[in-house]
Amino acid sequence: MESDTHRDTVGSCLRAARLGKGLSIEDISRITRITTDILAAMEADDVPRLLPKTYMKSFIRMYTKVVEMDPRGVIRLYLADLDRREKEYQAWRKQQEALSTLRNVLITVGLITSFFLLIRYTDIVPQPGLSELEPFPALRPFILDQDAMPDPSISPPPGKPLVLAAVAVEATWLKVMVDGKTVRFYEMKPEERLVLEGMRNFNLMVGSATGLRVSLDGNPVELSGSTGQIVSLRIP
């Protein structure tokens, strides 16, 4: 059985075909109008950076057409890779659930054991009588400076969030990463409006440069490109 180290992937097949034609990623991007970021992610098999399956199948067809490959075989390889990744993820989740259950059981057993040991210890060791206790030392009075004490009712003002607004001019899609961690995907129809909040920045990928009007805190954000051209940008 062939090991995973030598297993053909969608990315390795596409890259080999591109190099065989003497083309650069920029050449493929210019012909297909797919951004170089997406093309690089396709060749690296970097699934988290890619779009949903419906769009990726279309991208694979456009890419294979340029390098004169059979798209059906590459798409089958892509779907098989997605299925393999999903099975690996489900297996990982089951393993984590089993470890979590075992951890909870061990914690419960530890607490019960500690409780019974505490009872046994307190039953064996005699407790001193009141006459054997040392007197508690007297406390010296002290005065608080009320003017120097912070008012607990006043909390520091939170950071003002950034507000991203997008209005669809035509049917398109939008992929947004908020503050470098939360990724969301939207399919938008004409005149649909979307408002998101973040604390630091937004990474956008738009299906058509002319499909959205975008603003940040009320200030317009320019999307340069033509109809149907995928645009990637980071704001602010």
Side-chain angles (χ1 to χ4, degrees):
M1 181 177 180
E2 189 178 11
S3 66
D4 286 346
T5 305
H6 300 90
R7 176 174 53 85
D8 286 335
T9 65
V10 173
S12 64
C13 291
L14 294 177
R15 185 172 185 274
R18 175 176 62 79
L19 295 177
K21 294 292 183 181
L23 299 172
S24 66
I25 285 185
E26 288 73 18
D27 294 330
I28 302 293
S29 177
R30 185 175 60 258
I31 298 171
T32 62
R33 302 175 77 177
I34 303 172
T35 64
T36 54
D37 289 342
I38 290 293
L39 293 173
M42 291 171 66
E43 291 191 357
D45 297 302
D46 191 352
V47 173
R49 290 172 55 197
L50 298 177
L51 297 177
K53 179 169 57 178
T54 303
Y55 295 98
M56 291 311 304
K57 289 166 67 176
S58 176
F59 288 174
I60 290 173
R61 290 191 184 95
M62 288 188 286
Y63 194 121
T64 53
K65 182 178 180 181
V66 176
V67 296
E68 298 179 356
M69 293 179 65
D70 180 8
R72 293 170 297 181
V74 181
I75 289 175
R76 281 197 300 268
L77 188 61
Y78 167 70
L79 295 177
D81 184 59
L82 286 185
D83 183 64
R84 177 184 60 82
R85 291 174 183 268
E86 177 63 23
K87 290 179 180 178
E88 290 177 352
Y89 173 72
Q90 293 300 332
W92 176 83
R93 282 195 58 183
K94 290 181 180 180
Q95 182 184 38
Q96 294 302 309
E97 291 172 358
L99 290 175
S100 178
T101 301
L102 177 61
R103 183 167 53 250
N104 292 336
V105 170
L106 292 176
I107 291 174
T108 302
V109 171
L111 290 175
I112 294 174
T113 303
S114 300
F115 174 75
F116 282 108
L117 287 175
L118 179 62
I119 293 177
R120 179 178 177 82
Y121 176 77
T122 53
D123 286 343
I124 293 175
V125 178
Q127 301 297 317
L130 292 177
S131 60
E132 301 173 354
L133 297 177
E134 295 182 0
F136 195 83
L139 297 177
R140 292 185 297 174
F142 61 96
I143 300 174
L144 291 176
D145 184 357
Q146 297 296 334
D147 293 334
M149 295 293 290
D151 187 350
S153 64
I154 301 176
S155 58
K160 182 180 179 182
L162 301 172
V163 178
L164 176 75
V167 180
V169 179
E170 59 190 52
T172 186
W173 53 263
L174 171 65
K175 185 176 182 181
V176 186
M177 178 181 289
V178 182
D179 294 336
K181 55 183 178 180
T182 304
V183 180
R184 300 179 178 130
F185 180 81
Y186 305 92
E187 290 186 348
M188 302 184 66
K189 298 178 181 179
E191 299 184 4
E192 283 188 344
R193 179 180 178 85
L194 175 67
V195 178
L196 298 173
E197 288 189 354
M199 298 306 298
R200 297 192 305 273
N201 53 59
F202 301 90
N203 287 291
L204 307 183
M205 182 177 293
V206 184
S208 176
T210 60
L212 291 180
R213 291 199 306 270
V214 180
S215 63
L216 182 67
D217 291 338
N219 299 314
V221 177
E222 182 180 358
L223 301 180
S224 58
S226 56
T227 302
Q229 180 178 355
I230 299 174
V231 179
S232 298
L233 71 156
R234 174 190 174 101
I235 52 177

